[in-house]
Structure formats: C-alpha cells, structure tokens
Amino acid sequence: MTVRTVPEPVPGLSADQQAFREDVRSLLASTEVTEELAELAARPPGEEPVLLETYRALGREGRLAPSWPVEYGGLGLGAVESAIVTEEMALAGVPDDVHVLGVDIVGMFLLAEGTPEQKRAHLPALAAGERVATVLFTEPGCGSDLSGLATRAEPDGDGWRLYGSKVYNMKSQYGEIALCAARTSDGPVAMHGITLFLLPLRSPGVHVEPVPSMADECFGLVAIDGVRLGPQDVVGRVDDGWRLMNELLQLERTGIDFHGKARRLLDLVVERAARAGRLDDPVFAVRLAELDARLGAAHALAWEMVHNLDREAPDPVASAMSKWYASEQFRPILDAGLEVDGVDSLLSRWDGEARSTSRYEADYRMAPAHRLASGTSEVMLYLIATNGLGML
C-alpha cells in the first residue's frame, strides 16, 4: 500500500508540538518500522500483531505514552502529544489494539487511580512497549450495559477469589495483566458494588481461548475460576468501579483514532480511483469530495475534544458526538471503494489473484467494529439524546 496520509492542519499547535509531530512521523517512517509493517501485511491467516518493534521504537524515545510522567516512561507532556501519537499511528497503518488497551485504557486507569506500587510495577513496561495489558469488562450476558455483569469477587481472608467469564476482549491470549471488573457486593442498584482489579492473566485458574471473528484478529473468551487477589490488586476503591468506568472511559472518545483510520482508507480509495481514471467522472469526484469534507469536519471536532482534555475540561456529550460522527464515515468510504475496484476489492490479500498490497477486503470486514469500539453508535446517540438534548 503506497498511500501515506498527511494529516489536516491542526489549529492551536505550538512550535514544539509541531516538532513533536514531525519527530513521531520520522520514527514511523524509519526502515525498522516500515519493514515490520510490510511483514505484518504479508502475515498468514491466524497470526496477529502483538508486541510490535514499532511500539518499542516509540517507547525507547518516550513517544508511546508521552503524557505520562518521566518516571513511568513518558515525557511529562499533555493530551495534545498523546493525540498526535494516536493520529500518526493510525495514518501510518500501525495496528493499535495493544496501544489502546495497554496505554489508553489500562495505563490511564492506573495513572488516575493506581497505587504507587501498581504504577511502578506496570507503567514503565507498558510505556516501553514491552508488556501487553488488556481489558476484561464485557461478559456473555452483558455487552454495552456493564451494570449487568455477573463475574463475582467472593471474600477470602483479606482478599477475594474471582469467578466468572469475560468475552469479546482483545489480546488476552498474549497479555500479562488485565483490568477486570467484578461484582464485590449486591444491592438494589445494579451499578453499585462493582470493583476493578488487576488480574494476572497467566495465573492458575485463568483459561483463555479464541473466539473467531470476521476480522483478522480474534476475540478472546476468558474463564476465571477461583483466582485469588489481594487488596494490592484493587484499582481505586472497592465498590467504586462503575463510577471509574463511566468517568474515565469517556476520556478515550475524542474520535482521533477513528478519523485517522478513515482518512487513511479514503486516501487509499482516492489513490485507486486516480489509477482507474475515475476522478475524471465528475459525479464520482464530487462524491469523494463530499467524503473528504466530512472527514475534515470529523478531524476538527476530534481535535476540539483533544484541546478540551488538554484544558482539563472534557465534554462527554461532545465527545460522544465526535466518536459517533467519525466512526460513521467508514461505511460510505468503503462503499465508494467498492465502486472503484468492483469485485476485485473483495479478494483477500491471501488470495493469489489479489493485489499484492490489498487490504481493502480486510478493512471491509473490520468496518462493523468501528461502530462498536469505544461505545457503540447507538449508545453514543443515547448519550447525546439524554445528557445533551434532554429528550429522555
């Protein structure tokens, strides 16, 4: 794939932040990274990218988690620099599940609520790209409504024993730790009594098996049978997990990652349309221009959310709007791409007759996930309608 997207200009970036972007961009354009990405594109079915050398290359320079304190492997910068890394990784086509799970979610929870011992034990390795951490929230009986989770933490001396099942999580077969939500007490309100734990995934009593999906990367089913955890494994306060999940997960919904992936995909469609002579068709050219304009709007909205975070003034409703709008752009972009290549675009890159650099078919299979990750489109619309418009 020859396309290499250039991001739209971002108003309000300082000279240092512009230089930081160029530095990250140079790292991602290095031979070490581009060769690894080429190897990943050619990997056979069933092999997943996990501990990428790309992550280690960023981690060595403190670029993987730049907003984290220096003592934990970061650079002590802010939300803008974190967003720059996320955007540049998406534009370069770097698989981001390990980064999103380990840095953006588990790392964020530990920075906000972890003990000094938890931070020292896990954050430096995550920031260096040397450790995989994942998230165990969703269960077979509850999806977006985490108040219905049934995994239990039963008292055992000064600690607990965990029992339950988690599903549709990513990278658990490779992870060392997981941020796991479990019920520690019952009450009349379902949201109460949930606690967050750091669960060692390689402990006796943890069984992980793959759950096939349409995407190249599989989900995981994690069965937890009596794993003992102590007070040192609790993240935040006991029974306070619902509040933490609701407050902190909103911070990942800027839309930057979704926009970057959609921008890369649209630029690929435009590149192929140019080769096929479709840009001479005014109807098709206008359609692509409209898609480009929508992505420009998504980019502006996403960066406004980033600046809100940098000002420590997040807007949950606007963040839901940004996430929803950016992730809803994938389907019309993919539809346009199908018109360019026709049935050839549906050939897997493992097919001998497919284009040597084709990833379009994989992108098409992955498209539904964008409407689900970081909160489904339906949940985002619900948040907008209730919290923003007061409709329900």
Side-chain angles (χ1 to χ4, degrees), residues 37 50 53 79 84 98 118 124 126 131 142 160-161 176 198 210 220-221 223 260 266 270-271 273 288 308 343 375 383:
L37 292 178
V50 190
E53 286 302 323
I84 287 171
V98 172
Q118 289 172 339
L126 292 173
R131 180 169 298 170
C142 70
W160 297 265
R161 288 194 179 273
E176 296 183 44
L198 282 178
L221 172 65
L266 179 59
V270 172
E271 181 184 273
L288 292 179
N308 285 345
V343 294
L383 291 174

Side-chain angles (χ1 to χ4, degrees), residues 3 15 48 75 77 95 105 118 147 162 182 213 265-266 337 339 348 388:
V3 65
E48 297 187 22
L75 297 174
L77 300 175
I105 299 181
Q118 289 172 339
S147 66
L162 264 62
S213 73
L265 183 58
L266 179 59
E339 292 189 26
S348 165

Side-chain angles (χ1 to χ4, degrees), residues 16 57 61 74 118 121 123 136 143 200 219 284 290 292 317 337 353 359 375:
D16 287 343
E61 304 296 329
Q118 289 172 339
L123 292 181
L136 300 180
F219 292 116
F284 195 74
E290 290 175 349
D292 178 77
V317 173
E353 298 182 9
R359 270 205 52 86

Side-chain angles (χ1 to χ4, degrees), residues 237-256:
R237 300 193 303 273
V238 174
D239 290 343
D240 196 35
W242 178 262
R243 180 188 66 83
L244 294 182
M245 289 187 290
N246 275 275
E247 289 184 2
L248 295 179
L249 287 179
Q250 292 177 5
L251 301 182
E252 66 167 325
R253 294 175 185 153
T254 63
I256 283 291

Side-chain angles (χ1 to χ4, degrees), residues 250-251 253 304-305 308-309 312-321:
Q250 292 177 5
L251 301 182
R253 294 175 185 153
E304 182 61 28
M305 299 307 101
N308 285 345
L309 288 178
E312 298 185 353
D315 184 336
V317 173
S319 294
M321 294 178 183

